[in-house]
Amino acid sequence: MHNSSRLTVVGAGPGDPELITLKALKVLESANVVLYDALINRELLEYAPQAEHIFVGKRKDKHRYSQDEINELIVKYALERGHVVRLKGGDPFVFGRGSEEINYAKSKGLEIEMVSGITSAISVPAGVGIPLTQRGTSESFWVITGTTTQKKLSDDVRLAAQSTATVVILMGMSKLAEIVEIFSHFGKEDMPVGVIQNGTTVNEKSGFGTISTIEEVVSEKGLTAPAIIVIGEVVKERNQVHRIFENLEVIPENNPKN
């Protein structure tokens, strides 16, 4: 057994490699092994130069490793090599199963630490100019998983559709028709909707419409997972934000006015 067998679960942020915390970078520098997911930006692995990098990502219907196998790999490498970093997209405690991995490692006697990441639920909408709350428009927001462990749409979507809150749905693209049906049932056909694929990355694509049009928009633009669905009046705010930036007068530093 290694003298300092430990696990640090690290949130890598939403995809933009600059949206990771300083603490996370320091942890990566001290890693002996990095087990990383499909959604992390591979550029971040450069911050762990002395570590072995092992891909354990999962994609829809294509699981390289089961969660149980990942748990066992964490313990195996920690005992053999020392410091294992589990690098996960977004924030590991927001639908990232970070707590499961920590609990398993703890049960096997490993030292554990958690480093939060910037969740895509907030940062991806922000990246396209959507504030999840807005004075006078939205007093709260729901962040809901689109697919539960039973492969069903969360029942919370039905509850959220009856509120005035902004609704952010992760992993919900395969359930978009069902989501539209639920919101339509509660008379929300005209509610603004945004769908952002690969948010905060160079491959970002997005489409905007309403509950009644968003399926057509998604089809026309070829939007697929991984994507975030944002439903609420705040989606309209993106136009205001973009207009502000367009109207800003930019004076190049190297060309000052006389």
Side-chain angles (χ1 to χ4, degrees), residues 29-244:
E29 288 172 1
S30 68
N32 300 117
V33 178
V34 177
L35 303 177
Y36 66 96
D37 275 353
L39 292 179
I40 70 119
N41 192 309
R42 305 291 175 94
E43 290 179 34
L44 296 175
L45 297 174
E46 295 173 12
Y47 293 97
Q50 68 180 26
E52 181 181 355
H53 307 152
I54 302 170
F55 176 68
V56 292
K58 296 188 284 288
R59 275 283 195 243
K60 185 183 177 186
D61 301 327
K62 294 178 183 177
H63 286 202
R64 187 182 181 96
Y65 293 100
S66 70
Q67 188 61 56
D68 287 342
E69 287 171 331
I70 292 171
N71 291 346
E72 289 170 8
L73 281 175
I74 288 169
V75 174
K76 173 182 180 292
Y77 283 113
L79 294 177
E80 292 177 359
R81 307 278 292 279
H83 185 200
V84 172
V85 168
R86 182 71 173 96
L87 190 60
K88 303 169 77 72
D91 183 284
F93 278 14
V94 180
F95 306 127
R97 306 186 76 167
S99 59
E100 295 176 38
E101 294 171 354
I102 281 178
N103 289 338
Y104 185 83
K106 195 173 183 179
S107 74
K108 299 298 181 180
L110 270 59
E111 295 178 33
I112 57 168
E113 186 179 2
M114 163 70 186
V115 179
S116 293
I118 297 174
T119 175
S120 58
I122 295 172
S123 55
V124 168
V128 295
I130 300 173
L132 296 191
T133 62
Q134 176 76 5
R135 190 166 59 168
T137 303
S138 173
E139 299 168 357
S140 62
F141 60 88
W142 294 60
V143 179
I144 306 174
T145 177
T147 307
T148 66
T149 51
Q150 289 79 35
K151 307 298 183 187
K152 296 180 180 178
L153 184 66
S154 170
D155 290 337
D156 287 348
V157 174
R158 184 170 294 275
L159 296 172
Q162 299 173 66
S163 75
T164 59
T166 304
V167 182
V168 182
I169 301 175
L170 310 183
M171 301 171 286
M173 288 298 282
S174 64
K175 303 287 196 300
L176 184 59
E178 195 176 340
I179 292 164
V180 164
E181 183 181 346
I182 289 170
F183 276 81
S184 298
H185 175 76
F186 292 106
K188 301 285 183 72
E189 292 90 349
D190 296 329
M191 183 67 72
V193 184
V195 174
I196 307 105
Q197 177 184 335
N198 294 318
T200 79
T201 74
V202 294
N203 300 316
E204 180 178 294
K205 294 168 62 179
S206 58
F208 301 91
T210 63
I211 286 293
S212 61
T213 66
I214 195 61
E215 287 181 279
E216 184 180 347
V217 169
V218 164
S219 178
E220 286 177 358
K221 291 185 174 286
L223 299 175
T224 59
I228 286 178
I229 303 165
V230 187
I231 305 170
E233 294 296 336
V234 291
V235 174
K236 292 178 182 175
E237 292 297 320
R238 71 187 174 86
N239 294 324
Q240 302 296 329
V241 173
H242 287 161
R243 199 169 295 129
I244 289 169

